[in-house]
Amino acid sequence: VVPDTDGVPDTDVVPDTDGVPDTDVDTEDGFPVYTPVEPVERFVRITFEDRAVVSYLPEDPEGVLFVFHGTGGDASVAESTEMVAVLNAMIAEGIGFVAVSAADQPRGVFDDAASPASNEDWQHTVALREQLLAEERITASTPVHALGYSGGGGFASYVGHAGLAAGWPMGGLDIMHSGAQSRKYGG
């Protein structure tokens, strides 16, 4: 290893000689250059109860993943390069997804503190699941997963607690932010 002595970010490309896929990020002028990731299936954009929703559900899904954006965001987070990569992996496993928008727009903040009976975001999630059940897109035994980051990570935790209390078949939680707190809903 040669130490960097000029203080300028190196952009040299080293040929791949070991046959192992590289995890290095290409750079241009010292800044990362990411290759866009395309969805492996067509994502659907709808409005449900006056909120944006982005989703994809295969026939007879192995599970349904509810996706919760971070503060300031909305359901379009599902179309970001990083999230498309995650969702493509889930789709490959037969799991569909539903990305929702927080009630508190334009701030984009999910309520992870109010009790389920008075929580607008929880009630919206319940209504979405009930709609999927009514349309026979999922069954009552289809595992429910929750994924969120930043403020959405806190709400993913909330959905885990509230979903279990409601008798949902919770399959797992993924909180993609170390700052998200796992709180028991309602106090």
Side-chain angles (χ1 to χ4, degrees), residues 118-168:
S118 63
N119 188 313
E120 206 176 337
D121 290 314
W122 168 247
Q123 293 302 318
H124 185 256
T125 304
V126 169
L128 271 167
R129 182 174 179 267
E130 288 174 355
Q131 182 69 28
L132 295 175
L133 288 165
E135 293 173 356
E136 298 181 350
R137 304 291 308 277
I138 64 171
T139 68
S141 61
T142 301
V144 175
H145 306 270
L147 172 111
Y149 65 95
S150 190
F155 193 66
S157 176
Y158 182 102
V159 167
H161 291 289
L164 285 172
W168 290 10

Side-chain angles (χ1 to χ4, degrees), residues 7-187:
V8 176
D10 293 327
T11 57
D12 301 315
V13 176
V14 178
D16 184 6
T17 58
D18 62 3
V20 176
D22 291 328
T23 57
D24 298 339
V25 175
D26 292 332
T27 61
E28 185 175 294
D29 297 326
F31 295 98
V33 176
Y34 297 98
T35 304
V37 177
E38 297 297 323
V40 294
E41 296 290 345
R42 185 175 162 268
F43 294 177
V44 177
R45 295 180 127 261
I46 65 164
T47 300
F48 180 78
E49 295 181 344
D50 297 323
R51 293 198 219 171
V53 174
V54 177
S55 67
Y56 167 76
L57 282 167
E59 286 190 36
D60 301 318
E62 296 291 322
V64 61
L65 173 72
F66 281 89
V67 177
F68 305 106
H69 59 78
T71 301
D74 62 20
S76 67
V77 68
E79 298 163 324
S80 69
T81 296
E82 298 85 357
M83 192 59 73
V84 168
V86 170
L87 295 174
N88 283 347
M90 300 299 282
I91 290 167
E93 296 297 320
I95 297 173
F97 77 90
V98 180
V100 301
S101 297
D104 184 358
Q105 291 292 328
R107 287 183 348 132
V109 178
F110 286 101
D111 180 356
D112 64 355
S115 70
S118 63
N119 188 313
E120 206 176 337
D121 290 314
W122 168 247
Q123 293 302 318
H124 185 256
T125 304
V126 169
L128 271 167
R129 182 174 179 267
E130 288 174 355
Q131 182 69 28
L132 295 175
L133 288 165
E135 293 173 356
E136 298 181 350
R137 304 291 308 277
I138 64 171
T139 68
S141 61
T142 301
V144 175
H145 306 270
L147 172 111
Y149 65 95
S150 190
F155 193 66
S157 176
Y158 182 102
V159 167
H161 291 289
L164 285 172
W168 290 10
M170 295 306 297
L173 304 174
D174 240 334
I175 299 169
M176 299 171 63
H177 188 277
S178 61
Q181 296 179 359
S182 177
R183 291 195 251 187
K184 185 167 180 2
Y185 57 86

